[in-house]
Amino acid sequence: MGNKAYKFRLYPNKEQSAFLAKCFGCSRFVYNHFLRLTTDVYAESKKSLRYKEWAKLLTGLKSEFEWLKEVNSQALQQTLKDLESAFVRFFKKVGGFPNFKKKSNRQSFRVPQHFLIDNNGFLNLPKMTPIKMVIHREMLGTPKNVTIFKIPSGKYYASIVTEQDIPHAPLNGDKIGLDLGLKEFAITSKGDKFENPKYFQKSLRRLKIRQRRLSRKNKGSSNRSKARLAVAKIHERVRLQRQDYQHKISLKLVSENQRISAESLNIKGMVKNRKLAKQISDVAWGNFLTMLEYKGDVYGCEVHYVDRFFPSSKRCSNCGYIKQDLTLAIREWECPECKSFWDRDINAALNLMLFSESKIPLEEGKFTPDQLVEILGMNRDTGSGQEATGAA
Ligand SMILES: [Zn+2]
């Protein structure tokens, strides 16, 4: 059994939009409330609150804020489960610390059950009249949950997750290391390279013109909200282009391989650098790894993370020789020990694979990111550790 998500456009009427706004608001309120509470309680008592405690406290919160009772209560419980997943990702070092949800970002809530698609193709949610939905492709499997979301440009979507039988990848699928970078978006240990399309940078000029126009409009004017919409549309286009690109690569990787080893984003984050910040957000590695994980679940491909730093580009993956003088400018080199000839990124990807399979002694990667920052005096802003990003 595997899960698959289908995304369809929703066209709520005025009344439905107003109710959806309420649902988004309540979900955001509950998420932020318990995130703040959990952070505060931890700071005071070093005790971690989790879903079990939150769910109990939610009842009290609902009697304090009556309007929370107007929306589907299962959606609110689901919000707590999503918060729990965000913490789990953080502790697994796959994601950053959970962020507060903002009204200006994508708005969403999830309905875990009691929803259905009627014969007219309308989406029926608890406490709401049926919403018009455009089903542009056939949906297979049994629907399990639906996430309703609204993007900043004002469009509504439903993402429906279904459970279905999907053939798993052959068990003799390959094992690869995957190096994510800025010069190339992704490099595999098999030698495949995927270019970095830099969608954001390509729209930068247009975006700047639009933003300048926006800044000249008077606050509260209708021209200002039009200008804001124009800016949001550019962002949306970039996001869709990027998403499309990442969907294609992630699908190819999980369907051809049985195991993928990549560096955890904690390691990548360590080498964050102010000059590269825009480029790093443009490649959206986090989104990509999330895609690999959930598609991996469906296609039977495990995603492993290397969460310890080791000089993956400088180490000869054949004999272990460390080339100390390897600078970012050197793209290819020959190992003086075993005479292997390396493309630096493919060598790095090979090292990631070997390390995650414990074929490299642990002491070679003995430092956690925090230790390394301490030992090398590496500053997260100076980017003195560019080595590991493969950025050049
Ligand atoms: Zn060598």
Side-chain angles (χ1 to χ4, degrees):
M1 282 301 228
N3 293 331
K4 203 163 171 19
Y6 295 89
K7 194 171 90 176
F8 301 125
R9 181 96 185 261
L10 289 175
Y11 294 90
N13 62 30
K14 222 173 171 185
E15 188 188 317
Q16 290 168 337
S17 304
F19 189 74
L20 288 176
K22 208 174 266 180
C23 298
F24 294 138
C26 289
S27 166
R28 189 175 61 239
F29 176 83
V30 165
Y31 191 95
N32 289 346
H33 174 87
F34 286 105
L35 174 55
R36 187 173 296 118
L37 184 75
T38 303
T39 316
D40 289 352
V41 166
Y42 187 79
E44 269 171 33
S45 66
K46 298 275 169 251
K47 187 181 162 350
S48 293
L49 300 181
R50 280 296 170 272
Y51 178 79
K52 236 173 74 189
E53 287 87 9
W54 300 332
K56 281 180 199 154
L57 292 167
L58 179 61
T59 319
L61 195 68
K62 278 157 96 178
S63 19
E64 192 180 339
F65 301 100
E66 288 276 333
W67 39 267
L68 287 173
K69 291 181 185 164
E70 291 174 37
V71 304
N72 175 19
S73 62
Q74 279 173 333
L76 296 182
Q77 279 162 19
Q78 185 60 47
T79 299
L80 297 181
K81 285 185 185 155
D82 293 341
L83 180 59
E84 171 99 345
S85 312
F87 272 109
V88 168
R89 288 178 66 79
F90 171 68
F91 287 119
K92 275 167 69 187
K93 296 183 176 171
V94 183
F97 193 79
N99 284 324
F100 286 106
K101 290 195 186 294
K102 286 187 203 152
K103 203 177 173 184
S104 53
N105 292 347
R106 191 181 104 136
Q107 300 289 295
S108 71
F109 68 94
R110 192 186 323 211
V111 180
Q113 50 180 329
H114 300 309
F115 69 92
L116 69 93
I117 299 154
D118 64 26
N119 293 334
N120 300 320
F122 280 52
L123 180 64
N124 290 245
L125 297 174
K127 301 194 174 191
M128 284 193 77
T129 52
I131 308 173
K132 186 183 169 191
M133 180 164 74
V134 174
I135 302 174
H136 62 277
R137 62 174 177 141
E138 192 189 3
M139 195 168 56
L140 303 170
T142 320
K144 286 291 161 194
N145 65 61
V146 56
T147 304
I148 311 298
F149 61 96
K150 182 188 179 190
I151 57 177
S153 65
K155 291 176 189 161
Y156 294 83
Y157 294 91
S159 171
I160 300 172
V161 172
T162 69
E163 201 174 70
Q164 55 189 302
D165 290 317
I166 293 174
H168 272 199
L171 285 176
N172 55 6
D174 291 327
K175 297 172 179 180
I176 57 162
L178 183 70
D179 192 36
L180 299 179
L182 293 175
K183 190 171 173 286
E184 250 94 26
F185 173 70
I187 301 99
T188 74
S189 51
K190 284 196 286 190
D192 295 322
K193 292 188 170 194
F194 300 94
E195 58 152 351
N196 177 4
K198 299 184 180 173
Y199 293 117
F200 183 76
Q201 277 179 301
K202 281 177 192 159
S203 351
L204 210 55
R205 208 177 61 87
R206 251 171 342 123
L207 194 64
K208 274 186 179 152
I209 296 171
R210 293 291 183 181
Q211 269 165 343
R212 210 173 304 133
R213 280 184 205 167
L214 171 62
S215 66
R216 288 201 208 104
K217 307 290 183 219
N218 293 326
K219 272 194 181 152
S221 71
S222 70
N223 278 338
R224 187 179 168 89
S225 54
K226 265 185 219 157
R228 196 201 308 275
L229 191 66
V231 170
K233 276 190 176 155
I234 296 177
H235 280 293
E236 187 196 340
R237 214 187 116 207
V238 168
R239 202 181 50 79
L240 289 176
Q241 284 176 321
R242 184 190 292 141
Q243 202 167 298
D244 197 49
Y245 184 67
Q246 295 190 347
H247 271 311
K248 281 184 194 135
I249 299 178
S250 53
L251 184 64
K252 182 174 158 61
L253 290 175
V254 298
S255 56
E256 287 175 1
N257 299 294
Q258 195 190 332
R259 184 186 158 108
I260 297 173
S261 307
E263 256 175 329
S264 87
L265 286 189
N266 246 19
I267 303 281
K268 293 252 168 244
M270 177 182 68
V271 292
K272 248 186 211 169
N273 160 324
R274 210 171 273 150
K275 268 190 220 148
L276 296 176
K278 279 219 171 85
Q279 287 192 51
I280 287 177
S281 83
D282 197 11
V283 287
W285 289 319
N287 280 346
F288 180 68
L289 293 176
T290 308
M291 281 183 188
L292 277 185
E293 281 176 50
Y294 74 70
K295 289 184 191 180
D297 277 350
V298 174
Y299 284 84
C301 170
E302 291 175 273
V303 180
H304 279 253
Y305 293 101
V306 173
D307 68 353
R308 307 204 133 205
F309 180 86
F310 74 110
S312 56
S313 306
K314 292 184 179 179
R315 181 188 189 277
C316 168
S317 57
N318 184 42
C319 72
Y321 173 83
I322 304 280
K323 187 167 170 59
Q324 294 291 1
D325 58 351
L326 186 77
T327 62
L328 277 168
I330 303 173
R331 309 304 306 173
E332 291 174 329
W333 56 284
E334 190 187 52
C335 172
E337 289 286 319
C338 71
K339 305 293 174 200
S340 300
F341 189 74
W342 293 121
D343 170 296
R344 72 175 286 140
D345 298 324
I346 295 172
N347 177 52
L350 271 166
N351 273 323
L352 285 176
M353 176 180 76
L354 295 172
F355 191 73
S356 96
E357 291 183 340
S358 313
K359 286 180 183 158
I360 296 177
L362 200 61
E363 56 268 24
E364 277 193 38
K366 60 189 164 190
F367 304 122
T368 65
D370 289 340
Q371 287 169 330
L372 203 78
V373 168
E374 237 169 75
I375 295 163
L376 301 181
M378 246 187 202
N379 185 319
R380 279 165 203 258
D381 290 329
T382 61
S384 48
Q386 276 185 28
E387 148 67 14
T389 60

PDB file of all heavy atoms in Angstrom, residues 315-322 333-342 347, ligand 1:
ATOM      1  N   ARG A 315      37.807  13.990   0.528  1.00  0.00           N
ATOM      2  CA  ARG A 315      38.195  12.609   0.770  1.00  0.00           C
ATOM      3  C   ARG A 315      38.089  11.803  -0.525  1.00  0.00           C
ATOM      4  O   ARG A 315      37.055  11.820  -1.183  1.00  0.00           O
ATOM      5  CB  ARG A 315      37.268  12.010   1.822  1.00  0.00           C
ATOM      6  CG  ARG A 315      37.583  10.587   2.164  1.00  0.00           C
ATOM      7  CD  ARG A 315      36.507  10.011   3.069  1.00  0.00           C
ATOM      8  NE  ARG A 315      36.922   8.712   3.566  1.00  0.00           N
ATOM      9  CZ  ARG A 315      36.782   7.582   2.877  1.00  0.00           C
ATOM     10  NH1 ARG A 315      36.229   7.580   1.692  1.00  0.00           N
ATOM     11  NH2 ARG A 315      37.200   6.445   3.396  1.00  0.00           N
ATOM     12  N   CYS A 316      39.154  11.091  -0.859  1.00  0.00           N
ATOM     13  CA  CYS A 316      39.085  10.204  -2.030  1.00  0.00           C
ATOM     14  C   CYS A 316      38.182   9.043  -1.637  1.00  0.00           C
ATOM     15  O   CYS A 316      38.455   8.332  -0.665  1.00  0.00           O
ATOM     16  CB  CYS A 316      40.477   9.695  -2.411  1.00  0.00           C
ATOM     17  SG  CYS A 316      40.414   8.338  -3.600  1.00  0.00           S
ATOM     18  N   SER A 317      37.084   8.851  -2.378  1.00  0.00           N
ATOM     19  CA  SER A 317      36.124   7.824  -1.981  1.00  0.00           C
ATOM     20  C   SER A 317      36.638   6.420  -2.265  1.00  0.00           C
ATOM     21  O   SER A 317      36.049   5.441  -1.842  1.00  0.00           O
ATOM     22  CB  SER A 317      34.781   8.057  -2.682  1.00  0.00           C
ATOM     23  OG  SER A 317      34.963   8.076  -4.077  1.00  0.00           O
ATOM     24  N   ASN A 318      37.765   6.339  -2.988  1.00  0.00           N
ATOM     25  CA  ASN A 318      38.335   5.027  -3.261  1.00  0.00           C
ATOM     26  C   ASN A 318      39.290   4.574  -2.151  1.00  0.00           C
ATOM     27  O   ASN A 318      39.202   3.449  -1.670  1.00  0.00           O
ATOM     28  CB  ASN A 318      39.047   5.038  -4.609  1.00  0.00           C
ATOM     29  CG  ASN A 318      39.569   3.671  -4.988  1.00  0.00           C
ATOM     30  OD1 ASN A 318      38.884   2.664  -4.792  1.00  0.00           O
ATOM     31  ND2 ASN A 318      40.784   3.622  -5.498  1.00  0.00           N
ATOM     32  N   CYS A 319      40.206   5.471  -1.723  1.00  0.00           N
ATOM     33  CA  CYS A 319      41.215   5.021  -0.771  1.00  0.00           C
ATOM     34  C   CYS A 319      41.211   5.791   0.550  1.00  0.00           C
ATOM     35  O   CYS A 319      41.908   5.408   1.492  1.00  0.00           O
ATOM     36  CB  CYS A 319      42.611   5.100  -1.389  1.00  0.00           C
ATOM     37  SG  CYS A 319      43.220   6.769  -1.589  1.00  0.00           S
ATOM     38  N   GLY A 320      40.449   6.881   0.650  1.00  0.00           N
ATOM     39  CA  GLY A 320      40.381   7.586   1.918  1.00  0.00           C
ATOM     40  C   GLY A 320      41.396   8.707   2.067  1.00  0.00           C
ATOM     41  O   GLY A 320      41.400   9.414   3.080  1.00  0.00           O
ATOM     42  N   TYR A 321      42.229   8.906   1.071  1.00  0.00           N
ATOM     43  CA  TYR A 321      43.215  10.000   1.120  1.00  0.00           C
ATOM     44  C   TYR A 321      42.471  11.341   1.221  1.00  0.00           C
ATOM     45  O   TYR A 321      41.459  11.548   0.564  1.00  0.00           O
ATOM     46  CB  TYR A 321      44.071   9.965  -0.152  1.00  0.00           C
ATOM     47  CG  TYR A 321      45.010  11.148  -0.297  1.00  0.00           C
ATOM     48  CD1 TYR A 321      46.253  11.156   0.342  1.00  0.00           C
ATOM     49  CD2 TYR A 321      44.658  12.257  -1.072  1.00  0.00           C
ATOM     50  CE1 TYR A 321      47.109  12.242   0.215  1.00  0.00           C
ATOM     51  CE2 TYR A 321      45.506  13.342  -1.201  1.00  0.00           C
ATOM     52  CZ  TYR A 321      46.736  13.336  -0.553  1.00  0.00           C
ATOM     53  OH  TYR A 321      47.571  14.400  -0.678  1.00  0.00           O
ATOM     54  N   ILE A 322      42.969  12.248   2.084  1.00  0.00           N
ATOM     55  CA  ILE A 322      42.332  13.562   2.214  1.00  0.00           C
ATOM     56  C   ILE A 322      43.160  14.600   1.467  1.00  0.00           C
ATOM     57  O   ILE A 322      44.333  14.818   1.784  1.00  0.00           O
ATOM     58  CB  ILE A 322      42.229  13.990   3.699  1.00  0.00           C
ATOM     59  CG1 ILE A 322      41.492  12.937   4.532  1.00  0.00           C
ATOM     60  CG2 ILE A 322      41.557  15.360   3.818  1.00  0.00           C
ATOM     61  CD1 ILE A 322      40.001  12.958   4.442  1.00  0.00           C
ATOM     62  N   TRP A 333      40.058  16.355  -9.855  1.00  0.00           N
ATOM     63  CA  TRP A 333      41.395  16.128  -9.307  1.00  0.00           C
ATOM     64  C   TRP A 333      41.768  14.662  -9.342  1.00  0.00           C
ATOM     65  O   TRP A 333      40.902  13.788  -9.463  1.00  0.00           O
ATOM     66  CB  TRP A 333      41.496  16.678  -7.878  1.00  0.00           C
ATOM     67  CG  TRP A 333      40.484  16.139  -6.898  1.00  0.00           C
ATOM     68  CD1 TRP A 333      39.161  16.486  -6.821  1.00  0.00           C
ATOM     69  CD2 TRP A 333      40.695  15.175  -5.859  1.00  0.00           C
ATOM     70  NE1 TRP A 333      38.535  15.817  -5.803  1.00  0.00           N
ATOM     71  CE2 TRP A 333      39.458  15.001  -5.188  1.00  0.00           C
ATOM     72  CE3 TRP A 333      41.801  14.444  -5.415  1.00  0.00           C
ATOM     73  CZ2 TRP A 333      39.306  14.126  -4.110  1.00  0.00           C
ATOM     74  CZ3 TRP A 333      41.640  13.582  -4.331  1.00  0.00           C
ATOM     75  CH2 TRP A 333      40.411  13.435  -3.703  1.00  0.00           C
ATOM     76  N   GLU A 334      43.089  14.430  -9.243  1.00  0.00           N
ATOM     77  CA  GLU A 334      43.567  13.053  -9.244  1.00  0.00           C
ATOM     78  C   GLU A 334      44.116  12.729  -7.865  1.00  0.00           C
ATOM     79  O   GLU A 334      44.840  13.516  -7.272  1.00  0.00           O
ATOM     80  CB  GLU A 334      44.666  12.879 -10.291  1.00  0.00           C
ATOM     81  CG  GLU A 334      45.014  11.414 -10.489  1.00  0.00           C
ATOM     82  CD  GLU A 334      46.220  11.220 -11.408  1.00  0.00           C
ATOM     83  OE1 GLU A 334      47.264  11.846 -11.159  1.00  0.00           O
ATOM     84  OE2 GLU A 334      46.100  10.446 -12.361  1.00  0.00           O
ATOM     85  N   CYS A 335      43.738  11.561  -7.338  1.00  0.00           N
ATOM     86  CA  CYS A 335      44.223  11.168  -6.022  1.00  0.00           C
ATOM     87  C   CYS A 335      45.687  10.735  -6.147  1.00  0.00           C
ATOM     88  O   CYS A 335      46.004   9.845  -6.932  1.00  0.00           O
ATOM     89  CB  CYS A 335      43.378  10.019  -5.487  1.00  0.00           C
ATOM     90  SG  CYS A 335      44.038   9.319  -3.970  1.00  0.00           S
ATOM     91  N   PRO A 336      46.588  11.375  -5.365  1.00  0.00           N
ATOM     92  CA  PRO A 336      48.010  11.027  -5.468  1.00  0.00           C
ATOM     93  C   PRO A 336      48.303   9.613  -4.951  1.00  0.00           C
ATOM     94  O   PRO A 336      49.308   9.013  -5.317  1.00  0.00           O
ATOM     95  CB  PRO A 336      48.703  12.083  -4.614  1.00  0.00           C
ATOM     96  CG  PRO A 336      47.646  12.700  -3.777  1.00  0.00           C
ATOM     97  CD  PRO A 336      46.328  12.460  -4.425  1.00  0.00           C
ATOM     98  N   GLU A 337      47.412   9.084  -4.109  1.00  0.00           N
ATOM     99  CA  GLU A 337      47.639   7.745  -3.545  1.00  0.00           C
ATOM    100  C   GLU A 337      47.255   6.636  -4.525  1.00  0.00           C
ATOM    101  O   GLU A 337      48.070   5.804  -4.870  1.00  0.00           O
ATOM    102  CB  GLU A 337      46.822   7.560  -2.266  1.00  0.00           C
ATOM    103  CG  GLU A 337      47.308   8.361  -1.078  1.00  0.00           C
ATOM    104  CD  GLU A 337      48.585   7.785  -0.478  1.00  0.00           C
ATOM    105  OE1 GLU A 337      48.687   6.544  -0.381  1.00  0.00           O
ATOM    106  OE2 GLU A 337      49.459   8.595  -0.093  1.00  0.00           O
ATOM    107  N   CYS A 338      45.964   6.667  -4.940  1.00  0.00           N
ATOM    108  CA  CYS A 338      45.482   5.528  -5.723  1.00  0.00           C
ATOM    109  C   CYS A 338      45.258   5.881  -7.186  1.00  0.00           C
ATOM    110  O   CYS A 338      44.791   5.051  -7.970  1.00  0.00           O
ATOM    111  CB  CYS A 338      44.196   4.972  -5.115  1.00  0.00           C
ATOM    112  SG  CYS A 338      42.778   6.039  -5.339  1.00  0.00           S
ATOM    113  N   LYS A 339      45.565   7.134  -7.540  1.00  0.00           N
ATOM    114  CA  LYS A 339      45.468   7.601  -8.927  1.00  0.00           C
ATOM    115  C   LYS A 339      44.041   7.613  -9.488  1.00  0.00           C
ATOM    116  O   LYS A 339      43.847   7.634 -10.694  1.00  0.00           O
ATOM    117  CB  LYS A 339      46.373   6.747  -9.876  1.00  0.00           C
ATOM    118  CG  LYS A 339      47.831   6.682  -9.440  1.00  0.00           C
ATOM    119  CD  LYS A 339      48.508   8.021  -9.550  1.00  0.00           C
ATOM    120  CE  LYS A 339      49.929   7.979  -8.959  1.00  0.00           C
ATOM    121  NZ  LYS A 339      50.437   9.303  -8.610  1.00  0.00           N
ATOM    122  N   SER A 340      43.025   7.586  -8.603  1.00  0.00           N
ATOM    123  CA  SER A 340      41.648   7.729  -9.101  1.00  0.00           C
ATOM    124  C   SER A 340      41.477   9.163  -9.591  1.00  0.00           C
ATOM    125  O   SER A 340      42.013  10.094  -8.995  1.00  0.00           O
ATOM    126  CB  SER A 340      40.637   7.482  -7.989  1.00  0.00           C
ATOM    127  OG  SER A 340      40.765   6.202  -7.477  1.00  0.00           O
ATOM    128  N   PHE A 341      40.715   9.327 -10.654  1.00  0.00           N
ATOM    129  CA  PHE A 341      40.470  10.662 -11.173  1.00  0.00           C
ATOM    130  C   PHE A 341      39.025  11.054 -10.845  1.00  0.00           C
ATOM    131  O   PHE A 341      38.092  10.350 -11.193  1.00  0.00           O
ATOM    132  CB  PHE A 341      40.706  10.692 -12.684  1.00  0.00           C
ATOM    133  CG  PHE A 341      40.682  12.082 -13.230  1.00  0.00           C
ATOM    134  CD1 PHE A 341      41.754  12.955 -12.999  1.00  0.00           C
ATOM    135  CD2 PHE A 341      39.580  12.548 -13.954  1.00  0.00           C
ATOM    136  CE1 PHE A 341      41.725  14.254 -13.489  1.00  0.00           C
ATOM    137  CE2 PHE A 341      39.560  13.847 -14.440  1.00  0.00           C
ATOM    138  CZ  PHE A 341      40.630  14.702 -14.202  1.00  0.00           C
ATOM    139  N   TRP A 342      38.857  12.183 -10.116  1.00  0.00           N
ATOM    140  CA  TRP A 342      37.534  12.528  -9.596  1.00  0.00           C
ATOM    141  C   TRP A 342      36.933  13.807 -10.151  1.00  0.00           C
ATOM    142  O   TRP A 342      37.608  14.818 -10.283  1.00  0.00           O
ATOM    143  CB  TRP A 342      37.585  12.685  -8.062  1.00  0.00           C
ATOM    144  CG  TRP A 342      37.856  11.413  -7.349  1.00  0.00           C
ATOM    145  CD1 TRP A 342      38.899  11.150  -6.516  1.00  0.00           C
ATOM    146  CD2 TRP A 342      37.070  10.224  -7.394  1.00  0.00           C
ATOM    147  NE1 TRP A 342      38.817   9.869  -6.048  1.00  0.00           N
ATOM    148  CE2 TRP A 342      37.702   9.277  -6.571  1.00  0.00           C
ATOM    149  CE3 TRP A 342      35.889   9.860  -8.063  1.00  0.00           C
ATOM    150  CZ2 TRP A 342      37.199   7.993  -6.397  1.00  0.00           C
ATOM    151  CZ3 TRP A 342      35.386   8.591  -7.888  1.00  0.00           C
ATOM    152  CH2 TRP A 342      36.048   7.681  -7.068  1.00  0.00           C
ATOM    153  N   ASN A 347      32.469  12.546  -6.504  1.00  0.00           N
ATOM    154  CA  ASN A 347      33.242  11.970  -5.401  1.00  0.00           C
ATOM    155  C   ASN A 347      32.565  12.245  -4.059  1.00  0.00           C
ATOM    156  O   ASN A 347      32.465  11.364  -3.197  1.00  0.00           O
ATOM    157  CB  ASN A 347      34.665  12.537  -5.420  1.00  0.00           C
ATOM    158  CG  ASN A 347      35.507  12.032  -4.269  1.00  0.00           C
ATOM    159  OD1 ASN A 347      35.606  10.826  -4.049  1.00  0.00           O
ATOM    160  ND2 ASN A 347      36.093  12.953  -3.519  1.00  0.00           N
TER     161      ASN A 347
HETATM  162 ZN    ZN B   1      42.632   7.601  -3.611  1.00  0.00          ZN
END
